[in-house]
Amino acid sequence: MTHIKLFWQNGHIVQVDASGHSGFAPEGEDIVCAAVSSLVQGAFVGLRKVANLAPVFRKSEAFFSFCLPQTDMHSRYVSDIILETMRCSLKDIAKEHISYVKVEDILNV
């Protein structure tokens, strides 16, 4: 199962941890894993290239995590849009593939 943890602080997502393989299909054929990876990595790229932020990230086999730096209000607004879009999309995938993807909101870290 792929487990995505979204860490919230003061009403904003400040960190994203994604770990595990979905197990929906064999490696290289797993469309659920590919969709989740694309959304998480796409949000990371959006934060870097659209919001001009420098999230701190860690990556290893079956694990990707990033944490947002402190930002001004405009950058926070843009990052909120990017991350909420990612969150809604991941929740939709998790709803359709409940045995393969879990999205957890962790409030007030």
Side-chain angles (χ1 to χ4, degrees), residues 36-103:
V36 169
S37 294
S38 294
L39 287 166
V40 173
Q41 291 179 40
F44 177 75
V45 169
L47 292 169
R48 289 181 57 225
K49 296 191 176 192
V50 176
N52 294 314
L53 298 175
V56 176
F57 72 96
R58 295 179 316 182
K59 184 177 180 180
S60 63
E61 174 62 29
F63 180 78
F64 186 67
S65 174
F66 59 86
C67 183
L68 291 173
Q70 294 291 331
T71 64
D72 58 54
M73 288 302 290
H74 176 73
S75 294
R76 177 58 70 191
Y77 176 75
V78 175
S79 67
D80 282 349
I81 292 170
I82 292 167
L83 293 173
E84 185 59 23
T85 300
M86 177 200 70
R87 179 181 172 275
C88 290
S89 299
L90 289 169
K91 291 268 189 178
D92 283 351
I93 291 171
K95 190 178 197 181
E96 292 294 318
H97 301 284
I98 196 164
S99 298
Y100 303 100
V101 179
K102 179 179 180 182
V103 180

Side-chain angles (χ1 to χ4, degrees), residues 1 7 10 13 22 26 29 39-40 55 61 66 69 102:
M1 175 178 276
F7 296 87
N10 299 322
I13 298 172
S22 73
E29 299 174 20
L39 287 166
V40 173
E61 174 62 29
F66 59 86
K102 179 179 180 182

Side-chain angles (χ1 to χ4, degrees), residues 10-32:
N10 299 322
H12 306 281
I13 298 172
V14 296
Q15 181 175 331
V16 176
D17 291 355
S19 61
H21 291 290
S22 73
F24 179 76
E27 188 175 332
E29 299 174 20
D30 195 329
I31 61 171
V32 173

